């Protein structure tokens, strides 16, 4: 069979019913799975045979959706988690331990920033943040002998900085570390970071992948391309025997799936951020229409960005689809079909005008959410980035008056009409 296109994979990858089986992906809402002999189950615990036994480790509904997401990104395997936070935590912790170091782009999502700057620090893992637009030499200078990961986002939330993925991959590989890219905002519909050299991709599936704001979830996808064994000492967790599984060596036993297998059988076993089969089922419904929705999100966002740019009360608009945007060229290169439906903008009246504007919106919801079918609006300085001081805000590319607008798939004229009314009060 020929390799199907992305739109088709969104519907068919991961689950192929046989004769008489349901066309819709079944929800295996069960904690456990039955075996006939003691030995059969014993083999599973030693990772000697493959099979379902407990949903914290594997579940058929979850696995089908993971396989679909892996197919969409062009990876070899994926692991679903109960949130995007858990996905980024596991993706990094799978190859880092106390005494290690991470280099990350400074404009990443506030939750991930805190994870790296505060929580990982408590675990003994340090992070150096670099300006996302920094040149190769500057990013390189942040590396130390104990650096294990370079981390960034395809489209930074909420600064909307577009990542030069090839540049980041080149620096990471020159230092013998993998590049992990959070691809939440672009989705594999608009960008597939593996095609540009990224090694591991993460997602908050809570956003466009779900699209209906129904479930909180995450995913980690491995390209299978990073040569762990070339850096066997550095990535000893993957290349040396794991005593908690009677000496399994992940790279030897699982080859290109070593990284995802370790994350599943070790981190998921011990830390347990598993999504429910019901949530994976809901996510799967979202994935079926992802390409259609992304197309409309991008179309609407383009129109809204152009409208706002021309408005007298608007000081600036960040949206990489605007030809005068700082990131237009990078967006054209990495995301020629469009970036995403999220834009940010600043009113002439700054912080106070932002609050008046938001409180005057009727259709758009003020919500701590983005990237859903309904239009939503947020004030990062008072919401997602509230824990940051002014210097950290500036580093994250967030100004006190910035409004983050997540354009939905309503009719674009209705979205603009809502904005127009609210702008009168801004
Ligand atoms: C929302 C988000 C996260 C966190 O995901 P949750 O599902 O809310 O835990 C991580 N990265 C990015 C880019 C996000 O937008």
């Amino acid at each position: 069979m020929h390799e199907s296109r992305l739109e088709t994979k969104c519907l068919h990858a991961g689950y192929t019913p046989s004769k008489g089986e349901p066309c819709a992906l079944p929800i295996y809402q069960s904690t456990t799975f039955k075996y006939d002999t003691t030995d059969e189950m014993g083999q599973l615990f030693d990772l000697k045979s493959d099979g379902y036994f407990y949903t914290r480790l594997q579940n058929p509904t979850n696995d089908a959706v993971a396989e679909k997401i892996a197919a969409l990104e062009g990876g070899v395997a994926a692991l679903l988690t109960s949130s995007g936070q858990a996905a980024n935590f596991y993706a990094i912790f799978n190859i880092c331990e106390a005494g290690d170091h991470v280099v990350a782009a400074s404009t990443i999502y506030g939750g991930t920033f805190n994870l790296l700057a505060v929580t990982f620090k408590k675990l003994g893992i340090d992070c150096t943040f670099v300006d996302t637009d920094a040149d190769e030499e500057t990013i390189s200078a942040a590396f130390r002998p104990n650096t294990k990961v370079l981390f960034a986002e395809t489209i930074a939330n909420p600064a909307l900085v577009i990542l030069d993925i090839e540049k980041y991959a080149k620096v990471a590989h020159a230092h013998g570390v993998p590049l992990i890219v959070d691809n939440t905002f672009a989705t594999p519909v608009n960008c597939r970071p593996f095609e540009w050299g990224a090694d591991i991709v993460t997602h908050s599936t809570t956003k466009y992948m779900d699209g209906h704001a129904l479930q909180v979830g995450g995913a980690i996808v491995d390209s299978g391309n990073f040569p762990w064994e070339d850096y066997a000492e550095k990535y000893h967790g993957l290349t040396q025997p794991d005593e908690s599984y009677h000496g399994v060596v992940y790279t030897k036993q699982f080859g290109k799936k070593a990284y995802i297998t370790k994350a599943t059988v070790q981190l998921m076993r011990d830390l347990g951020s598993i999504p429910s089969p019901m949530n994976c089922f809901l996510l799967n419904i979202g994935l079926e229409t992802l390409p259609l929705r992304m197309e409309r999100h991008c179309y609407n966002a383009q129109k809204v960005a152009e409208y706002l740019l021309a408005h007298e009360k608007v000081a600036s608009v960040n949206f990489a689809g605007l030809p005068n945007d700082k990131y237009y060229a990078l967006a054209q290169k990495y995301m020629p079909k469009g970036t995403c439906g999220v834009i940010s903008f600043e009113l002439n009246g700054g912080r106070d005008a932002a609050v008046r504007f938001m409180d005057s919106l009727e259709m758009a919801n003020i919500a701590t959410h983005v990237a859903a079918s309904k239009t939503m609006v947020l004030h990062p300085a008072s919401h997602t980035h509230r824990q940051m001081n002014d210097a950290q805000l500036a580093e994250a590319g967030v100004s006190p008056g910035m409004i983050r607008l997540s354009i939905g798939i309503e009719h674009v004229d209705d979205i603009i009409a809502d904005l127009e009314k609210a702008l009168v009060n801004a």
Side-chain angles (χ1 to χ4, degrees):
M1 217 165 80
H2 81 284
E3 166 97 7
S4 54
R5 291 165 184 80
L6 185 124
E7 290 78 357
T8 309
K9 286 180 183 158
C10 280
L11 290 148
H12 295 284
Y15 176 65
T16 311
S18 305
K19 184 178 152 195
E21 288 182 350
C23 292
L25 173 66
I27 308 168
Y28 287 86
Q29 192 71 43
S30 178
T31 56
T32 193
F33 302 84
K34 181 206 138 171
Y35 287 88
D36 291 331
T37 68
T38 317
D39 189 49
E40 273 173 1
M41 178 155 285
Q43 298 283 323
L44 297 172
F45 274 93
D46 270 355
L47 305 182
K48 291 209 172 98
S49 68
D50 203 14
Y52 293 103
F53 59 116
Y54 192 59
T55 285
R56 170 150 42 79
L57 293 173
Q58 282 192 302
N59 173 284
T61 308
N62 299 18
D63 284 3
V65 182
E67 196 181 319
K68 178 178 284 186
I69 293 174
L72 298 181
E73 286 288 5
V76 294
L79 171 66
L80 299 187
T81 57
S82 55
S83 68
Q85 283 303 113
N88 282 326
F89 175 69
Y90 282 28
I92 297 166
F93 198 58
N94 202 29
I95 44 175
C96 286
E97 61 190 30
D100 288 343
H101 175 251
V102 174
V103 177
S106 64
T107 48
I108 54 173
Y109 174 70
T112 316
F113 182 91
N114 279 325
L115 170 67
L116 285 164
V118 180
T119 301
F120 266 129
K121 216 183 180 95
K122 291 183 193 161
L123 296 173
I125 299 165
D126 268 338
C127 182
T128 303
F129 292 96
V130 292
D131 183 335
T132 312
D133 298 330
D135 59 22
E136 282 175 33
E137 292 68 38
T138 312
I139 306 168
S140 272
F143 278 73
R144 303 177 189 165
N146 58 340
T147 303
K148 296 284 185 74
V149 169
L150 179 60
F151 184 93
E153 292 173 2
T154 329
I155 306 173
N157 172 10
L160 303 178
V161 172
I162 307 288
L163 186 70
D164 189 341
I165 308 174
E166 281 189 316
K167 176 172 73 184
Y168 269 67
K170 188 170 160 209
V171 174
H173 297 158
H175 289 272
V177 312
L179 170 63
I180 303 183
V181 172
D182 182 331
N183 195 33
T184 297
F185 269 28
T187 84
V189 172
N190 285 342
C191 183
R192 281 175 302 283
F194 295 156
E195 292 171 4
W196 304 100
D199 301 285
I200 291 151
V201 157
T202 60
H203 281 279
S204 165
T205 63
T206 317
K207 313 291 167 52
Y208 287 118
M209 282 191 169
D210 174 304
H212 304 81
L214 297 178
Q215 57 87 50
V216 173
I220 308 168
V221 191
D222 184 11
S223 65
N225 292 335
F226 192 79
W228 306 111
E229 285 189 325
D230 291 358
Y231 307 98
E233 193 45 49
K234 187 156 43 170
Y235 299 105
H236 58 87
L238 286 161
T239 61
Q240 309 291 322
D242 179 353
E243 294 315 326
S244 75
Y245 278 112
H246 305 306
V248 157
V249 175
Y250 294 102
T251 47
K252 294 234 150 42
Q253 191 162 334
F254 300 101
K256 281 185 175 297
K257 295 189 175 175
Y259 172 89
I260 290 292
T261 303
K262 177 176 178 285
T264 304
V265 302
Q266 201 182 74
L267 297 187
M268 207 48 99
R269 177 194 64 188
D270 297 348
L271 301 169
S273 314
I274 199 76
S276 72
M278 181 68 199
N279 275 1
C280 294
F281 171 82
L282 294 170
L283 168 59
N284 188 50
I285 295 175
L287 288 169
E288 292 193 352
T289 57
L290 182 65
L292 284 176
R293 289 185 287 105
M294 288 312 289
E295 198 180 315
R296 183 58 62 90
H297 280 295
C298 291
Y299 173 83
N300 284 356
Q302 184 73 34
K303 295 276 179 209
V304 171
E306 286 165 8
Y307 164 80
L308 286 172
L309 190 65
H311 199 284
E312 62 192 14
K313 288 192 176 174
V314 174
S316 61
V317 179
N318 291 318
F319 181 65
L322 294 173
N324 66 344
D325 192 88
K326 187 176 170 194
Y327 298 103
Y328 182 76
L330 280 175
Q332 290 297 306
K333 172 177 174 180
Y334 292 110
M335 296 159 233
K337 289 197 289 183
T339 53
C340 65
V342 182
I343 69 177
S344 67
F345 66 103
E346 186 110 22
L347 295 167
N348 293 329
R351 193 179 195 126
D352 293 344
V355 173
R356 284 198 307 274
F357 163 80
M358 287 180 49
D359 290 346
S360 308
L361 288 165
E362 280 177 18
M363 183 180 75
N365 297 321
I366 295 179
T368 310
H369 191 54
V370 277
S373 300
K374 293 174 185 160
T375 296
M376 294 182 183
V377 65
L378 183 93
H379 184 221
S382 354
H383 302 139
T384 44
H385 289 59
R386 202 181 177 92
Q387 317 309 337
M388 292 189 179
N389 60 37
D390 281 359
Q392 287 173 328
L393 278 179
E395 243 182 83
V398 176
S399 63
M402 179 199 272
I403 296 167
R404 183 180 73 177
L405 187 60
S406 175
I407 312 293
I409 58 174
E410 300 96 343
H411 195 289
V412 69
D413 293 349
D414 292 327
I415 299 171
I416 291 175
D418 195 30
L419 300 177
E420 192 146 85
K421 262 195 295 177
L423 281 166
V424 172
N425 300 326

